[in-house]
Amino acid sequence: MAETRNFALRDKKGNEIGVFTGKQPRQAALKAANRGHKDIRLRERGTKKVHIFVGERVQVKKPKGAPAWMPNQIWKPKVKKIGVEKLDEI
């Protein structure tokens, strides 16, 4: 069974500005996209790997089996993986 991993969100200067968790980097990237981040660079804690994604939030209709209290339009995150970088030093 896969353990949850921590991914540090990095800005353009390389500063770590937040931490998102997930079993896979994509899961953490979806969480970051849902918070409004577009250029997503996630460094896996304990490694020198940086996973690079492009993300967005779009409004879609609520699903068919949704409860009555849910609004008609909901936000849904979308991400696309660009690649992986290796850092020389953290």
Coordinates of all heavy atoms in Angstrom, one line a residue:
M1 N 0.8 -1.2 0.0 CA 0.0 0.0 0.0 C 0.9 1.2 0.0 O 1.8 1.3 0.8 CB -0.9 0.0 1.2 CG -2.0 1.0 1.2 SD -3.3 0.5 2.2 CE -3.1 1.6 3.6
A2 N 0.6 2.2 -0.9 CA 1.4 3.4 -1.0 C 1.1 4.4 0.2 O 0.0 4.5 0.6 CB 1.1 4.1 -2.3
E3 N 2.2 4.9 0.6 CA 2.1 5.9 1.7 C 1.8 7.3 1.1 O 2.2 7.6 0.0 CB 3.4 6.0 2.5 CG 3.8 4.7 3.2 CD 3.0 4.5 4.5 OE1 2.7 5.5 5.1 OE2 2.6 3.4 4.7
T4 N 1.2 8.2 1.9 CA 1.1 9.5 1.4 C 2.4 10.2 1.5 O 3.2 10.0 2.4 CB 0.0 10.3 2.3 OG1 0.5 10.3 3.7 CG2 -1.3 9.7 2.2
R5 N 2.6 11.1 0.5 CA 3.9 11.8 0.4 C 3.6 13.3 0.4 O 2.6 13.7 0.1 CB 4.6 11.4 -1.0 CG 4.9 10.0 -1.0 CD 5.0 9.3 -2.4 NE 5.5 10.0 -3.5 CZ 5.5 9.6 -4.7 NH1 5.0 8.4 -5.0 NH2 5.9 10.3 -5.7
N6 N 4.7 14.0 0.9 CA 4.5 15.4 1.0 C 5.3 16.1 -0.2 O 6.4 15.7 -0.5 CB 5.2 15.9 2.3 CG 4.4 15.5 3.5 OD1 3.2 15.5 3.5 ND2 5.1 15.1 4.5
F7 N 4.6 17.1 -0.8 CA 5.2 17.8 -1.9 C 5.2 19.3 -1.6 O 4.1 19.8 -1.2 CB 4.4 17.6 -3.2 CG 4.4 16.1 -3.6 CD1 3.4 15.3 -3.2 CD2 5.4 15.6 -4.4 CE1 3.4 13.9 -3.6 CE2 5.4 14.3 -4.8 CZ 4.4 13.5 -4.4
A8 N 6.3 19.9 -1.7 CA 6.4 21.4 -1.4 C 6.2 22.2 -2.6 O 6.9 21.9 -3.6 CB 7.8 21.7 -0.8
L9 N 5.3 23.1 -2.6 CA 5.0 24.0 -3.7 C 6.1 25.1 -3.8 O 6.3 25.7 -2.8 CB 3.6 24.6 -3.6 CG 3.2 25.5 -4.7 CD1 3.0 24.7 -6.0 CD2 1.9 26.2 -4.3
R10 N 6.7 25.2 -4.9 CA 7.8 26.2 -5.1 C 7.3 27.3 -6.0 O 6.6 27.1 -7.0 CB 9.0 25.6 -5.7 CG 9.6 24.5 -4.8 CD 10.7 23.6 -5.5 NE 11.8 24.4 -5.9 CZ 12.9 24.4 -5.2 NH1 13.0 23.8 -4.1 NH2 14.0 25.1 -5.6
D11 N 7.8 28.6 -5.7 CA 7.5 29.7 -6.6 C 8.6 29.8 -7.6 O 9.5 29.0 -7.7 CB 7.2 31.0 -5.8 CG 8.5 31.4 -5.0 OD1 9.5 30.8 -5.2 OD2 8.3 32.4 -4.2
K12 N 8.5 30.8 -8.5 CA 9.5 31.0 -9.6 C 10.9 31.2 -9.1 O 11.9 30.8 -9.7 CB 9.1 32.2 -10.5 CG 7.8 31.9 -11.2 CD 7.6 32.9 -12.3 CE 6.2 32.8 -12.9 NZ 6.1 31.7 -13.8
K13 N 11.1 31.8 -7.8 CA 12.4 32.0 -7.3 C 13.0 30.8 -6.6 O 14.1 30.8 -6.1 CB 12.3 33.2 -6.3 CG 12.0 34.5 -6.9 CD 11.9 35.6 -5.9 CE 11.5 36.9 -6.5 NZ 11.2 37.9 -5.5
G14 N 12.1 29.7 -6.4 CA 12.6 28.5 -5.7 C 12.2 28.5 -4.3 O 12.6 27.5 -3.6
N15 N 11.5 29.5 -3.8 CA 11.1 29.5 -2.4 C 9.9 28.5 -2.2 O 9.0 28.5 -3.1 CB 10.6 30.9 -1.9 CG 11.7 31.9 -2.1 OD1 12.9 31.6 -1.8 ND2 11.4 33.1 -2.5
E16 N 9.9 27.7 -1.2 CA 8.8 26.8 -0.9 C 7.7 27.5 -0.2 O 7.9 28.0 0.9 CB 9.3 25.6 -0.2 CG 10.3 24.8 -1.0 CD 10.8 23.5 -0.4 OE1 10.5 23.2 0.7 OE2 11.5 22.8 -1.2
I17 N 6.5 27.6 -0.8 CA 5.4 28.5 -0.3 C 4.3 27.7 0.3 O 3.3 28.3 0.8 CB 5.0 29.5 -1.3 CG1 4.5 28.7 -2.6 CG2 6.0 30.5 -1.7 CD1 3.9 29.6 -3.7
G18 N 4.3 26.3 0.2 CA 3.2 25.6 0.7 C 3.5 24.1 0.6 O 4.4 23.7 -0.1
V19 N 2.7 23.3 1.3 CA 2.9 21.8 1.2 C 1.6 21.2 0.9 O 0.6 21.5 1.5 CB 3.5 21.3 2.6 CG1 3.6 19.7 2.5 CG2 4.8 21.9 2.9
F20 N 1.6 20.3 0.0 CA 0.4 19.5 -0.4 C 0.7 18.0 -0.3 O 1.9 17.6 -0.6 CB -0.1 19.8 -1.8 CG -0.6 21.3 -2.0 CD1 0.3 22.3 -2.4 CD2 -1.9 21.6 -1.7 CE1 -0.1 23.6 -2.5 CE2 -2.3 22.9 -1.8 CZ -1.4 23.9 -2.2
T21 N -0.2 17.2 0.1 CA 0.0 15.8 0.3 C -0.8 15.0 -0.7 O -1.8 15.4 -1.2 CB -0.3 15.3 1.7 OG1 -1.7 15.6 1.9 CG2 0.5 16.0 2.8
G22 N -0.3 13.8 -1.0 CA -1.0 12.9 -1.9 C -0.1 11.6 -2.1 O 1.0 11.6 -1.8
K23 N -0.8 10.6 -2.6 CA 0.0 9.4 -2.9 C 0.8 9.5 -4.2 O 1.8 8.9 -4.3 CB -1.0 8.2 -3.0 CG -1.6 7.8 -1.7 CD -2.4 6.6 -1.7 CE -3.0 6.3 -0.3 NZ -3.7 5.0 -0.3
Q24 N 0.3 10.4 -5.1 CA 1.0 10.6 -6.3 C 1.1 12.1 -6.5 O 0.4 12.9 -5.9 CB 0.1 10.1 -7.5 CG -0.1 8.6 -7.5 CD 1.2 7.8 -7.7 OE1 2.1 8.3 -8.5 NE2 1.3 6.7 -7.0
P25 N 2.1 12.6 -7.3 CA 2.3 14.0 -7.5 C 1.1 14.7 -8.1 O 0.8 15.8 -7.8 CB 3.5 14.1 -8.4 CG 4.2 12.8 -8.4 CD 3.2 11.8 -7.9
R26 N 0.4 14.0 -9.0 CA -0.8 14.5 -9.6 C -1.9 14.9 -8.6 O -2.5 15.9 -8.7 CB -1.3 13.6 -10.7 CG -2.5 14.1 -11.4 CD -3.0 13.2 -12.5 NE -4.1 13.8 -13.3 CZ -5.3 13.7 -12.9 NH1 -5.7 13.1 -11.8 NH2 -6.3 14.3 -13.6
Q27 N -2.0 14.1 -7.6 CA -3.0 14.3 -6.6 C -2.7 15.6 -5.8 O -3.6 16.4 -5.6 CB -3.1 13.1 -5.6 CG -4.2 13.2 -4.6 CD -4.3 12.0 -3.7 OE1 -3.4 11.2 -3.6 NE2 -5.4 11.9 -3.0
A28 N -1.4 15.8 -5.5 CA -1.0 17.1 -4.8 C -1.2 18.3 -5.8 O -1.6 19.3 -5.4 CB 0.4 16.9 -4.4
A29 N -0.9 18.1 -7.1 CA -1.0 19.1 -8.1 C -2.5 19.6 -8.2 O -2.8 20.7 -8.4 CB -0.5 18.7 -9.4
L30 N -3.4 18.6 -8.2 CA -4.8 18.9 -8.3 C -5.3 19.8 -7.1 O -6.1 20.7 -7.2 CB -5.7 17.7 -8.3 CG -5.7 16.9 -9.7 CD1 -6.3 15.5 -9.5 CD2 -6.4 17.7 -10.7
K31 N -4.7 19.5 -5.9 CA -5.1 20.3 -4.7 C -4.5 21.7 -4.8 O -5.2 22.7 -4.5 CB -4.5 19.6 -3.5 CG -5.2 18.3 -3.1 CD -4.5 17.6 -1.9 CE -5.2 16.3 -1.6 NZ -4.6 15.6 -0.5
A32 N -3.3 21.8 -5.4 CA -2.7 23.2 -5.6 C -3.5 23.9 -6.7 O -3.8 25.1 -6.5 CB -1.3 23.0 -6.0
A33 N -3.9 23.3 -7.7 CA -4.7 23.9 -8.8 C -6.1 24.4 -8.2 O -6.6 25.5 -8.6 CB -4.9 23.0 -10.0
N34 N -6.7 23.6 -7.3 CA -7.9 24.0 -6.8 C -7.8 25.2 -5.9 O -8.8 26.0 -5.7 CB -8.5 22.8 -5.9 CG -10.0 22.8 -6.0 OD1 -10.6 23.4 -6.9 ND2 -10.6 22.3 -4.9
R35 N -6.6 25.5 -5.4 CA -6.4 26.7 -4.6 C -6.0 27.9 -5.5 O -5.8 29.0 -5.0 CB -5.2 26.5 -3.6 CG -5.5 25.5 -2.6 CD -5.7 26.1 -1.2 NE -6.0 25.1 -0.2 CZ -5.2 24.8 0.8 NH1 -4.0 25.4 0.9 NH2 -5.6 23.9 1.6
G36 N -6.0 27.7 -6.8 CA -5.8 28.8 -7.8 C -4.4 29.0 -8.3 O -4.1 29.9 -9.1
H37 N -3.5 28.0 -8.0 CA -2.1 28.1 -8.6 C -2.2 27.6 -10.1 O -2.8 26.6 -10.4 CB -1.2 27.2 -7.8 CG -1.0 27.7 -6.4 ND1 -0.3 28.8 -6.0 CD2 -1.5 27.2 -5.2 CE1 -0.3 29.0 -4.7 NE2 -1.1 28.0 -4.2
K38 N -1.4 28.3 -10.9 CA -1.4 27.9 -12.4 C -0.1 27.2 -12.7 O -0.1 26.2 -13.4 CB -1.7 29.1 -13.2 CG -3.0 29.7 -13.0 CD -3.4 30.8 -14.0 CE -4.7 31.5 -13.8 NZ -5.8 30.6 -13.5
D39 N 1.0 27.8 -12.4 CA 2.4 27.3 -12.6 C 2.7 26.5 -11.4 O 3.1 27.0 -10.4 CB 3.4 28.4 -12.9 CG 4.8 27.8 -13.2 OD1 4.9 26.7 -13.7 OD2 5.7 28.5 -12.9
I40 N 2.6 25.1 -11.4 CA 2.8 24.3 -10.3 C 4.1 23.5 -10.4 O 4.3 22.7 -11.3 CB 1.6 23.3 -10.1 CG1 0.3 24.1 -10.1 CG2 1.8 22.4 -8.9 CD1 -0.9 23.3 -10.2
R41 N 5.0 23.8 -9.4 CA 6.3 23.1 -9.3 C 6.3 22.5 -7.9 O 6.4 23.2 -6.9 CB 7.4 24.1 -9.5 CG 7.4 24.8 -10.9 CD 8.4 25.9 -11.0 NE 9.7 25.4 -11.0 CZ 10.3 24.8 -12.1 NH1 9.7 24.8 -13.2 NH2 11.6 24.4 -12.1
L42 N 6.2 21.2 -7.9 CA 6.2 20.4 -6.6 C 7.5 19.6 -6.4 O 7.8 18.8 -7.2 CB 5.0 19.5 -6.6 CG 3.6 20.1 -6.7 CD1 2.6 19.0 -6.9 CD2 3.3 20.9 -5.4
R43 N 8.2 20.0 -5.3 CA 9.4 19.2 -4.9 C 8.9 18.1 -3.9 O 8.3 18.4 -2.9 CB 10.4 20.0 -4.3 CG 11.7 19.2 -4.0 CD 12.8 20.1 -3.3 NE 12.4 20.5 -1.9 CZ 12.5 19.7 -0.9 NH1 13.0 18.5 -0.9 NH2 12.2 20.2 0.3
E44 N 9.3 16.9 -4.2 CA 8.9 15.8 -3.3 C 9.9 15.9 -2.1 O 11.1 15.9 -2.3 CB 9.1 14.5 -4.0 CG 8.6 13.3 -3.2 CD 8.6 12.0 -3.9 OE1 8.7 12.0 -5.2 OE2 8.4 11.0 -3.2
R45 N 9.3 15.9 -0.9 CA 10.1 16.0 0.3 C 11.0 14.8 0.4 O 10.5 13.7 0.2 CB 9.2 16.1 1.6 CG 8.5 17.5 1.7 CD 9.4 18.4 2.5 NE 8.9 19.8 2.5 CZ 8.2 20.3 3.5 NH1 7.8 19.5 4.6 NH2 7.8 21.5 3.5
G46 N 12.3 15.1 0.8 CA 13.2 14.0 0.9 C 13.9 13.6 -0.3 O 14.8 12.8 -0.3
T47 N 13.6 14.3 -1.5 CA 14.3 14.0 -2.7 C 14.6 15.3 -3.4 O 14.3 16.4 -2.9 CB 13.4 13.2 -3.7 OG1 12.3 14.0 -4.1 CG2 12.8 11.9 -3.1
K48 N 15.3 15.2 -4.5 CA 15.7 16.4 -5.3 C 14.8 16.5 -6.6 O 15.1 17.3 -7.4 CB 17.1 16.4 -5.6 CG 18.0 16.5 -4.4 CD 19.5 16.6 -4.7 CE 20.3 16.7 -3.5 NZ 21.8 16.7 -3.8
K49 N 13.7 15.8 -6.6 CA 12.9 15.8 -7.8 C 11.9 16.9 -7.7 O 11.2 17.1 -6.7 CB 12.1 14.5 -7.9 CG 12.8 13.3 -8.5 CD 11.8 12.2 -8.6 CE 12.5 10.9 -8.9 NZ 11.5 9.8 -8.9
V50 N 11.7 17.6 -8.8 CA 10.6 18.7 -8.9 C 9.7 18.3 -10.1 O 10.1 18.2 -11.2 CB 11.2 20.1 -9.2 CG1 10.1 21.1 -9.3 CG2 12.2 20.4 -8.1
H51 N 8.4 18.0 -9.7 CA 7.4 17.7 -10.7 C 6.8 19.0 -11.2 O 6.3 19.8 -10.4 CB 6.3 16.8 -10.1 CG 6.9 15.5 -9.5 ND1 7.1 14.4 -10.3 CD2 7.4 15.2 -8.3 CE1 7.6 13.4 -9.5 NE2 7.8 13.9 -8.3
I52 N 6.7 19.2 -12.5 CA 6.2 20.4 -13.1 C 4.9 20.2 -13.7 O 4.7 19.3 -14.6 CB 7.2 21.0 -14.1 CG1 8.6 21.2 -13.4 CG2 6.7 22.3 -14.6 CD1 9.7 21.4 -14.3
F53 N 3.9 21.0 -13.3 CA 2.5 20.9 -13.9 C 2.0 22.3 -14.3 O 2.5 23.3 -13.8 CB 1.5 20.4 -12.8 CG 1.7 18.9 -12.4 CD1 2.6 18.6 -11.4 CD2 1.0 17.9 -13.0 CE1 2.8 17.3 -11.0 CE2 1.2 16.6 -12.6 CZ 2.1 16.3 -11.6
V54 N 1.0 22.3 -15.2 CA 0.3 23.5 -15.5 C -1.2 23.2 -15.1 O -1.7 22.1 -15.4 CB 0.3 23.8 -17.0 CG1 -0.6 24.9 -17.4 CG2 1.7 24.1 -17.5
G55 N -1.7 24.1 -14.3 CA -3.1 23.8 -13.7 C -4.0 24.9 -14.0 O -3.6 26.1 -14.3
E56 N -5.3 24.6 -13.8 CA -6.4 25.6 -14.0 C -7.6 25.1 -13.2 O -7.7 24.0 -12.8 CB -6.7 25.9 -15.4 CG -7.3 24.7 -16.1 CD -7.7 25.0 -17.6 OE1 -8.0 26.1 -17.9 OE2 -7.7 24.0 -18.3
R57 N -8.5 26.1 -12.9 CA -9.8 25.7 -12.4 C -10.9 26.1 -13.4 O -10.9 27.2 -13.9 CB -10.1 26.6 -11.1 CG -9.4 26.1 -9.9 CD -9.6 27.1 -8.7 NE -11.0 27.0 -8.2 CZ -11.5 27.9 -7.4 NH1 -10.8 29.0 -7.1 NH2 -12.7 27.8 -7.0
V58 N -11.8 25.2 -13.6 CA -12.9 25.5 -14.5 C -14.2 25.3 -13.8 O -14.3 24.4 -12.9 CB -12.8 24.7 -15.8 CG1 -11.6 25.1 -16.6 CG2 -12.8 23.2 -15.5
Q59 N -15.3 26.0 -14.2 CA -16.6 25.8 -13.6 C -17.3 24.8 -14.5 O -17.4 25.0 -15.7 CB -17.4 27.1 -13.5 CG -17.1 27.8 -12.2 CD -18.2 28.8 -11.8 OE1 -18.6 29.5 -12.7 NE2 -18.5 28.9 -10.6
V60 N -17.9 23.8 -13.8 CA -18.7 22.8 -14.6 C -20.0 22.6 -13.8 O -20.2 23.0 -12.7 CB -17.9 21.4 -14.6 CG1 -16.7 21.6 -15.4 CG2 -17.6 20.9 -13.2
K61 N -21.0 21.9 -14.5 CA -22.2 21.6 -13.9 C -22.0 20.6 -12.8 O -21.1 19.7 -12.9 CB -23.2 21.1 -14.9 CG -23.7 22.1 -15.9 CD -24.7 21.5 -16.8 CE -25.2 22.5 -17.8 NZ -26.2 22.0 -18.7
K62 N -22.9 20.6 -11.8 CA -22.8 19.6 -10.7 C -23.1 18.2 -11.2 O -23.8 18.1 -12.2 CB -23.6 20.0 -9.5 CG -25.1 19.8 -9.8 CD -25.9 20.1 -8.5 CE -27.4 20.0 -8.7 NZ -28.1 20.3 -7.5
P63 N -22.5 17.1 -10.6 CA -22.8 15.8 -11.1 C -24.2 15.4 -10.9 O -25.0 16.0 -10.1 CB -21.9 14.9 -10.3 CG -21.1 15.8 -9.3 CD -21.5 17.2 -9.6
K64 N -24.7 14.4 -11.6 CA -26.1 13.9 -11.6 C -26.5 13.5 -10.2 O -27.6 13.9 -9.7 CB -26.3 12.8 -12.5 CG -26.2 13.2 -14.0 CD -27.4 12.8 -14.7 CE -27.2 12.9 -16.2 NZ -27.5 14.2 -16.8
G65 N -25.7 12.8 -9.4 CA -26.1 12.3 -8.1 C -25.8 13.2 -7.0 O -25.7 12.7 -5.8
A66 N -25.5 14.4 -7.3 CA -25.1 15.4 -6.2 C -26.2 15.7 -5.3 O -27.4 15.7 -5.7 CB -24.6 16.7 -6.9
P67 N -25.9 16.0 -4.0 CA -26.9 16.4 -3.1 C -27.6 17.7 -3.4 O -27.0 18.5 -4.2 CB -26.2 16.5 -1.7 CG -24.8 16.6 -2.1 CD -24.6 16.0 -3.4
A68 N -28.8 17.9 -2.9 CA -29.6 19.1 -3.2 C -28.9 20.4 -2.8 O -29.1 21.5 -3.4 CB -31.0 19.0 -2.6
W69 N -28.1 20.4 -1.7 CA -27.5 21.6 -1.2 C -26.4 22.1 -2.1 O -25.9 23.2 -2.0 CB -27.0 21.4 0.2 CG -26.1 20.3 0.4 CD1 -26.5 19.1 0.9 CD2 -24.7 20.2 0.2 NE1 -25.4 18.2 1.0 CE2 -24.3 18.9 0.5 CE3 -23.8 21.1 -0.3 CZ2 -22.9 18.5 0.4 CZ3 -22.5 20.7 -0.4 CH2 -22.1 19.5 -0.1
M70 N -25.9 21.2 -3.0 CA -24.7 21.6 -3.8 C -25.2 22.6 -4.9 O -26.2 22.4 -5.5 CB -24.1 20.4 -4.5 CG -22.8 20.6 -5.2 SD -22.1 19.1 -5.9 CE -21.3 18.4 -4.5
P71 N -24.4 23.7 -5.1 CA -24.8 24.6 -6.2 C -24.7 24.0 -7.6 O -24.1 23.0 -7.8 CB -23.7 25.7 -6.1 CG -22.6 25.1 -5.4 CD -23.1 24.0 -4.5
N72 N -25.4 24.7 -8.5 CA -25.5 24.1 -9.9 C -24.1 24.1 -10.6 O -23.9 23.3 -11.5 CB -26.5 24.9 -10.7 CG -27.9 24.6 -10.3 OD1 -28.2 23.5 -9.8 ND2 -28.8 25.6 -10.4
Q73 N -23.3 25.1 -10.3 CA -22.0 25.2 -10.9 C -20.9 24.9 -9.8 O -21.0 25.5 -8.7 CB -21.7 26.6 -11.5 CG -22.6 26.9 -12.7 CD -22.2 26.2 -13.9 OE1 -21.0 26.1 -14.3 NE2 -23.2 25.6 -14.7
I74 N -19.9 24.0 -10.1 CA -18.9 23.8 -9.1 C -17.5 24.0 -9.8 O -17.4 23.9 -11.0 CB -19.0 22.4 -8.5 CG1 -18.9 21.3 -9.6 CG2 -20.2 22.2 -7.7 CD1 -18.7 19.9 -9.1
W75 N -16.5 24.2 -9.0 CA -15.1 24.4 -9.5 C -14.5 23.0 -9.6 O -14.6 22.2 -8.7 CB -14.3 25.3 -8.6 CG -14.7 26.7 -8.7 CD1 -15.4 27.4 -7.7 CD2 -14.4 27.6 -9.7 NE1 -15.5 28.7 -8.1 CE2 -14.9 28.9 -9.3 CE3 -13.7 27.5 -10.9 CZ2 -14.8 30.0 -10.1 CZ3 -13.6 28.7 -11.7 CH2 -14.1 29.9 -11.3
K76 N -13.8 22.7 -10.7 CA -13.1 21.5 -10.9 C -11.7 21.8 -11.4 O -11.4 22.5 -12.3 CB -13.8 20.6 -12.0 CG -13.2 19.3 -12.1 CD -14.1 18.4 -12.9 CE -13.4 17.0 -13.0 NZ -14.3 16.0 -13.5
P77 N -10.7 21.2 -10.7 CA -9.3 21.5 -11.0 C -8.9 20.6 -12.2 O -9.3 19.4 -12.3 CB -8.5 21.1 -9.8 CG -9.3 20.1 -9.1 CD -10.8 20.5 -9.4
K78 N -8.0 21.1 -13.1 CA -7.4 20.3 -14.1 C -5.9 20.6 -14.2 O -5.5 21.7 -14.0 CB -8.0 20.7 -15.5 CG -9.4 20.3 -15.7 CD -9.9 20.5 -17.1 CE -11.3 20.0 -17.3 NZ -11.8 20.2 -18.6
V79 N -5.1 19.5 -14.3 CA -3.6 19.7 -14.4 C -3.1 18.8 -15.5 O -3.7 17.8 -16.0 CB -2.9 19.3 -13.1 CG1 -3.3 20.2 -12.0 CG2 -3.2 17.8 -12.7
K80 N -2.0 19.3 -16.1 CA -1.2 18.6 -17.1 C 0.2 18.5 -16.7 O 0.8 19.6 -16.4 CB -1.4 19.2 -18.5 CG -0.7 18.5 -19.5 CD -1.0 19.0 -20.9 CE -0.2 18.1 -21.9 NZ -0.3 18.5 -23.2
K81 N 0.8 17.4 -16.7 CA 2.2 17.2 -16.3 C 3.1 17.6 -17.5 O 2.9 17.2 -18.6 CB 2.5 15.8 -15.9 CG 3.9 15.7 -15.3 CD 4.0 14.5 -14.4 CE 5.4 14.6 -13.6 NZ 5.5 13.5 -12.7
I82 N 4.1 18.5 -17.2 CA 5.0 19.0 -18.2 C 6.3 18.1 -18.1 O 6.9 17.7 -19.2 CB 5.4 20.4 -18.0 CG1 4.1 21.3 -18.0 CG2 6.4 20.9 -19.0 CD1 3.4 21.3 -19.2
G83 N 6.8 17.8 -16.9 CA 8.0 17.0 -16.8 C 8.5 16.9 -15.4 O 7.8 17.4 -14.5
V84 N 9.7 16.4 -15.2 CA 10.4 16.3 -13.9 C 11.8 16.9 -14.1 O 12.5 16.7 -15.1 CB 10.5 14.8 -13.5 CG1 11.2 14.7 -12.2 CG2 9.1 14.2 -13.4
E85 N 12.2 17.7 -13.1 CA 13.5 18.2 -13.0 C 14.3 17.6 -11.8 O 13.6 17.3 -10.8 CB 13.5 19.8 -12.8 CG 13.3 20.6 -14.0 CD 13.3 22.1 -13.6 OE1 13.5 22.4 -12.4 OE2 13.2 22.9 -14.5
K86 N 15.6 17.6 -11.9 CA 16.4 17.2 -10.8 C 17.2 18.4 -10.3 O 17.8 19.1 -11.1 CB 17.4 16.1 -11.2 CG 16.8 14.7 -11.5 CD 17.1 13.8 -10.4 CE 16.6 12.4 -10.7 NZ 16.9 11.5 -9.7
L87 N 17.1 18.7 -9.0 CA 17.8 19.8 -8.5 C 19.2 19.4 -8.1 O 19.5 18.2 -7.7 CB 17.1 20.3 -7.2 CG 15.7 20.9 -7.4 CD1 15.2 21.2 -6.0 CD2 15.8 22.1 -8.2
D88 N 20.2 20.3 -8.2 CA 21.6 20.0 -7.7 C 21.6 20.0 -6.2 O 22.3 19.2 -5.6 CB 22.5 21.1 -8.3 CG 22.6 21.0 -9.8 OD1 22.4 19.9 -10.4 OD2 22.9 22.0 -10.5
E89 N 20.9 21.0 -5.6 CA 20.8 21.1 -4.2 C 19.5 21.6 -3.8 O 18.9 22.3 -4.6 CB 21.9 21.9 -3.6 CG 22.0 23.4 -4.1 CD 23.1 24.1 -3.6 OE1 24.3 23.6 -3.7 OE2 22.9 25.2 -3.1
I90 N 19.0 21.3 -2.6 CA 17.7 21.7 -2.2 C 17.7 23.1 -1.7 O 18.5 23.6 -1.1 CB 17.2 20.7 -1.1 CG1 17.1 19.3 -1.6 CG2 15.9 21.2 -0.5 CD1 16.7 18.3 -0.6

